Each structure stands twice: as C-alpha cells, then as structure tokens.
Amino acid sequence: MRFQFKRVSPSYALKLSLVTLTWIPVVMTFNENVCYIARVDGSSMRPTLNPDDSASSTDWVLLWKYHARKAQSLHRDDVILFKSPMDPSKTYCKRIKGIQYDSILTRYPYPREVVHIPRNHVWVEGDNAFHSIDSNNFGPISNGLVVGKAVKVIWPPSRWGTDLKFTTGRHEILTAKPK
Amino acid sequence: MAPPTPVLAREELPEIPQSKNCVLKSLTQFQCQLRPAGSGLYECVPFKRLFQECRDPSGRFKSRIEVTSPLTNH
Amino acid sequence: MNGLRAWTSTISYAVRAVCFVHIVHTHIYEFTETRGESMLPTLAATNDYVHAIKKHKDGKGCQIGDCIVAVKPSDPDHRVCKRITGMPGDIILVDPSMRSNVYGTEPTVRSIEELDGSVEDYDENFDSFIKVPKGHVWVTGDNLSHSLDSRTYNALPMGLIRGKIVAANDFNEKFWGGSKGNFWAFRKIENTYIDEE
C-alpha cells in the first residue's frame, strides 16, 4: 500500500490538477462560442421536439453557436435557442418563421395584422403554434438574443435521425419575400 | 425590437399618486454641441428629468412615473 | 522531434491564455475602448476607456441611473454604452428633450417663452408616455442631442446587457495631474438617479 501511495506523489497530483484547471477556460470558451449540448423542455416545439407527454422524454440537442448571431447564418425554418426578451434568465427554443426585412402575417395576440421585421431581427414561433409563447406575444427579437442553432437531436438515441425541418408549424405567413 | 408598446397620452395614464410614501427623484442628462466648429470643445446644457417614485407602506418599490414638464428645466 | 514538442506546448499555452482572458472578459471584468459623442460629457468622444463589471450581464442588479454596455439591438456586432432611464413597469416620457427626434440633426433648444407660456399647453414631447415592458430597460445616451438609443429603437431587452460601467480612464489626459483626475483621468462613473431636494 505504502509503495503505491508513493508512486503518485502529492506534488505530482497538485501539478496535474493545476494543469487540468488551466484547461477549464478552454472548455468554457468552446461551449459558449462553438457548440454545446442543450436540453429542451416543454411542448411548444411538438411534434419536432419532445413528441411525448412522458417526463422521461426530454430532448437534448446539439447547439451550434459559432457565428449563430450573424444575419446570414439565420434562415427561415431554423430551430434556434434564444434568451427570452421578457426574462433574460429563461431560454426559449423556437423556429425562425421570418428573417430581417420579411413581412409576416401575425396571429392573436399581436396587435397588428402584418409586421415588417427590422434589420438584424427574426420572427420566431413554436411548431405547436397554439401552445407557444412566441413572437406573436413579444414581437420580433434581436439577433443579439440568439444563443445558438439546434442542428441535431442527441438524446434520446431512438430519435437520432430526426429531421428538424420535418414539420414547421404555421404555413403561408410571409406576405412578401424580399428580392 | 421590443414588444409592441403603445404610446400613451397624459389622459391615459394612471393617476400620479400623491402620498407621503412618494418621493421626487431626478436624473440629469445633457444636450451637447460642438462649439466653436473645429475646436473639439463641447458645450453641454443639463437636462433634468423628474420622476415620482412611490413605495407601499412596507417600503417596497411600487411605481415610478416621469413628471418632467416644460417648466422643470428652467 | 523536440522542435515539434516545443511548438505544441507553445500553442497549448497560447490557447489556454487566450481562452482565460476571453472568459474573464465575458464573465468578470472588461477594460474596453468607447467611441462616439452619445455619452458626453460623462465619457469623452474618443480614447476613453471604461471598466465594465460583468456580473451585471443580462441586467442583473441594474438600476435606473446606471451606465451600461449592451449589444446594439439592430446590429449584434456592435456594442453601445448608455444610461438606464427607465426600468420595467416604469411610465416615462418617450423624448422630453426639446429637440427634433432625428438622429444627427442640429438640436433646437427652445426657451420656455416659445412654448406659448401656458402650462396647460404641453408640447407634444411632454404628452407621449411609454410603459417600459417586462424584461426590458429604457436607455438613453447622456448626450441627448447626439445619441441613437431607445428613442429610436425602443426599449432594450435586458438579455442584451453585457455589463455595468463603474469607472473610466481618459487617455487624452495626462498620466498625472490632468483636469479630471490622476492616473489618466481615472474617475468613477456614478449612478445619476438621485433624490430631488
């Protein structure tokens, strides 16, 4: 026993843990700026995400973050995670239904029938349109609130092949596409 | 862009409360102009904004309404 | 072989150092340059550097009168430095400053005599109120004449706030003995929301 303790000397253990510590910022930087695995709760993206009612079926998605806030990397029908404009401590998962300069036909409770999306903003809605708090409540959101783009379902493994664009919620809501 | 927010006229506001739990607060900002042209010097005129801040009897913050008027800055 | 190992270890050190600085800048503290006339006279138009505390990210613990740095809502690549002049739920005037509301135009500071005298006859500027929505703050530059702010782009979502500005250094000033203070005009940026006597 004694012999084995000597093989990992305290100074070596200390050095090893210090070296490990210096890599933590690298991992954090990667998770915050390149990609990350995020959990998606709630029913607003049903049937694309969390299709079942059972609590065990919470989906985990691969979230791509690099350049995710750039207008040119946000497209219609992309699934994004973004900070709620009404409460920055909450993160919502919705689908982009309109990008900058689009005109959108809104739904209750938005007070105007047609909305023009300003520069560097997106219009987001849940696939489960009638159980979703989305842009019809809080308006277009700034690209700056985007956390990342969901590119793949990671968990549960039975749904690895899920096409995130299989169902896309409300249709025919663009009044005019910009040239 | 923020959620759709209506612009309200004075008549549409809730009544500005006047009680001992309310205090008048101020926040001073400025209007600056480059003067004279090319000198790189600025002249700033202060612009004071006034707010009526009210608390409920237990001292918790309740409401804040701006009461700046054309007469409060001269 | 030795050369390759030296290169690998140099790159590894560099990556860790850069990421460490990045994480500190995102979550703890940042010292950064500001430009523009919108925060005059609090911050100079050029060469003024601010100390920002990042624990106030997402508007946590921010109050009316605080000076903040935030992502510009109309352009996520740019950041703006403004003062909070309305918290969620506050009822405030959209633009009481006496000028036309077009960015960059000459301000027209009118005197009280031009306002027809009567107190009842409020200028339209004094009759346009807005209730700041939940999760948002109203921000304006300290220089109301040259500032693109909430008066143009509406309330700012708190999720765009990146930090609170607590102090500044002006590198236009001398290291010691400048007009605003010592150490390159080091001064605290105070909250300007105060009791009215």
Side-chain angles (χ1 to χ4, degrees), chain C residues 13-14 22 43 45 67 70 73 75-76 79 81 101 104 118 143 147 153 156 158 170 172 175 182 185-186 191 194:
Chain C
Y13 277 118
H22 176 81
L43 299 171
C67 193
D75 187 353
R79 294 195 297 179
C81 186
N101 192 12
S118 160
N143 177 8
S147 171
Y153 51 66
L156 177 92
M158 283 165 116
D170 189 343
N172 299 317
F175 170 70
N182 293 325
F186 178 83
N191 185 313
I194 49 168

Side-chain angles (χ1 to χ4, degrees), chain C residues 76-153:
Chain C
D77 292 332
H78 282 89
R79 294 195 297 179
V80 292
C81 186
K82 302 282 167 203
R83 191 160 316 260
I84 297 178
T85 49
M87 294 299 286
D90 292 357
I91 294 169
I92 55 155
L93 284 161
V94 175
D95 187 10
S97 61
M98 291 184 228
R99 59 170 198 118
S100 59
N101 192 12
V102 185
Y103 177 61
T105 53
E106 271 299 292
T108 47
V109 182
R110 284 172 292 171
S111 66
I112 190 69
E113 289 77 24
E114 286 173 60
L115 285 167
D116 288 338
S118 160
V119 193
E120 265 66 56
D121 200 18
Y122 282 108
D123 191 272
E124 200 191 300
N125 283 347
F126 292 99
D127 200 29
S128 301
F129 291 85
I130 206 162
K131 186 172 182 179
V132 182
K134 199 176 153 230
H136 289 68
V137 289
W138 193 263
V139 291
T140 47
D142 272 356
N143 177 8
L144 293 163
S145 307
H146 289 273
S147 171
L148 181 68
D149 49 39
S150 283
R151 294 171 294 170
T152 312
Y153 51 66

